[in-house]
Amino acid sequence: MIKPEMHVELRESDVRHTARVVSSRRISPESVPEEVKELVLALHAPGIRFEAGQSIGVLAPGSPEFGNQHHLRLYTVADLPEIAGDGMTHLRICVKRCYRMDPYTGERHPGVASHYLCSRRVGDTLTVTGPYGLPFAVPEEPDANLILIGTGTGIAPFRAFVKHLHHNVPEWTGRIWLFYGAKNGLEMLYMNDEHDDFAQYYDPETFEAFKALSPRPHWSDPIAWDLAFAERGSALLRMLEQPKTYVYVAGLEAMRNELDHAFAGFFGSPEKWARRKAELVAGGRWVELLY
């Protein structure tokens, strides 16, 4: 049984690969300031099997003057790994160009790994490590319910996971609900007018995707998980009470408190939700992959 709570750990592997950038495209609309890119990396990794939902480590150049030869960050494989005609393994990852604020000076500093990757061009090479982990397991019951909750690039492991079910688990008949949060509809990855690939290859009778958007997209309001859950009403409540329902969560660590608050309101009180969540966690049916 996998652990109910996981973090993307920054640990270096002895197994390193040289990867070449095959393609790099922006998947966030040009009309929003947030830049998210999808990179396809080709690497020669004989004897190593990459699974949907695993992560790879990217070694970006570090600061030698501070004793850091490289800067390691992990990224979840965002699609099913492919073997090209030349024997190279092709992996897709989603990268958001990030910044961090200095809490003392207020200065904005570019994220080392994210800027390094978003600036790579086709033909560039980089060093990757791994693979790491397999966060979300396919339930043993082929008719189980799956509730997937993600934000931002947290959609990456679910994109790979659901596609794996569709292509590689033909006996799967369970219901899949994906709740995807964003500040506004323009920030949706793979669920916008240009990249709505979730609608292209999943069974509409078993797969449904729901958008949870902020009520005031230009303010700092949290994502309206409560509204998205309330709209599903009694059907969602019935799913959460069934013994064959699994809830998988992926995204930033702040999601935990946001979801606890939303589900507490949905269940009527924080105490009622705490009991229900504890039961799900104890049964290995609530799993978080947090960054």
Side-chain angles (χ1 to χ4, degrees), residues 10-290:
L10 304 184
R11 50 190 171 83
E12 188 173 336
S13 169
D14 292 332
V15 181
R16 297 188 181 187
H17 318 280
T18 297
R20 176 173 51 86
V21 179
V22 176
S23 71
S24 175
R25 63 167 181 149
R26 177 173 175 142
I27 58 174
S28 55
E30 296 289 345
S31 54
V32 301
E34 291 79 9
E35 179 185 9
V36 181
K37 284 194 170 183
E38 179 188 76
L39 281 74
V40 180
L41 306 177
L43 57 152
H44 183 59
I48 296 180
R49 179 181 176 86
F50 289 84
E51 303 284 350
Q54 287 183 323
S55 297
I56 60 169
V58 173
L59 294 176
S63 304
E65 65 272 21
F66 295 109
N68 301 319
Q69 293 298 319
H70 51 253
H71 185 82
L72 174 66
R73 282 290 181 269
L74 300 191
Y75 293 89
T76 303
V77 176
D79 206 336
L80 297 181
E82 300 176 357
I83 304 298
D86 58 2
M88 302 286 278
T89 299
H90 284 200
L91 303 175
R92 296 175 188 267
I93 60 174
C94 295
V95 183
K96 179 179 179 179
R97 192 183 290 270
C98 296
Y99 298 85
R100 66 174 182 83
M101 298 295 294
D102 188 302
Y104 301 103
T105 66
E107 293 182 87
R108 192 172 78 151
H109 300 280
V112 176
S114 69
H115 278 251
Y116 172 72
L117 285 170
C118 286
S119 299
R120 296 304 89 198
R121 297 184 177 183
V122 172
D124 287 350
T125 60
L126 56 141
T127 301
V128 301
T129 69
Y132 299 93
L134 187 60
F136 302 123
V138 176
E140 295 181 359
E141 311 94 332
D143 60 343
N145 299 312
L146 286 172
I147 299 174
L148 313 177
I149 307 173
T151 58
T153 53
I155 198 71
F158 294 146
R159 183 172 184 253
F161 179 70
V162 178
K163 194 169 183 178
H164 168 68
L165 287 176
H166 179 78
H167 285 286
N168 301 324
V169 190
E171 66 275 16
W172 182 265
T173 60
R175 201 173 196 179
I176 305 171
W177 279 12
L178 169 67
F179 290 90
Y180 185 42
K183 287 294 183 183
N184 57 62
L186 296 177
E187 291 186 7
M188 308 297 286
L189 307 180
Y190 299 116
M191 291 180 64
N192 54 53
D193 292 338
E194 296 180 14
H195 308 297
D196 190 13
D197 69 347
F198 271 104
Q200 294 175 14
Y201 46 66
Y202 303 136
D203 185 351
E205 295 184 2
T206 59
F207 178 83
E208 294 183 81
F210 310 106
K211 299 177 182 180
L213 305 177
S214 172
R216 296 187 297 175
H218 301 295
W219 295 65
S220 59
D221 290 12
I223 293 168
W225 296 112
D226 52 347
L227 297 179
F229 297 153
E231 288 174 358
R232 311 283 83 79
S234 57
L236 177 59
L237 190 60
R238 285 196 300 271
M239 289 176 68
L240 288 169
E241 294 295 343
Q242 293 174 10
K244 291 192 293 185
T245 293
Y246 296 76
V247 185
Y248 293 161
V249 179
L252 297 177
E253 193 167 11
M255 284 183 65
R256 179 183 291 129
N257 291 337
E258 294 176 1
L259 291 176
D260 282 339
H261 177 76
F263 275 118
F266 189 65
F267 273 75
S269 73
E271 293 75 21
K272 290 181 179 179
W273 167 240
R275 287 195 296 271
R276 185 67 191 122
K277 183 179 180 181
E279 293 170 356
L280 291 168
V281 170
R285 297 187 291 117
W286 178 284
V287 180
E288 299 174 352
L289 176 62
L290 302 177

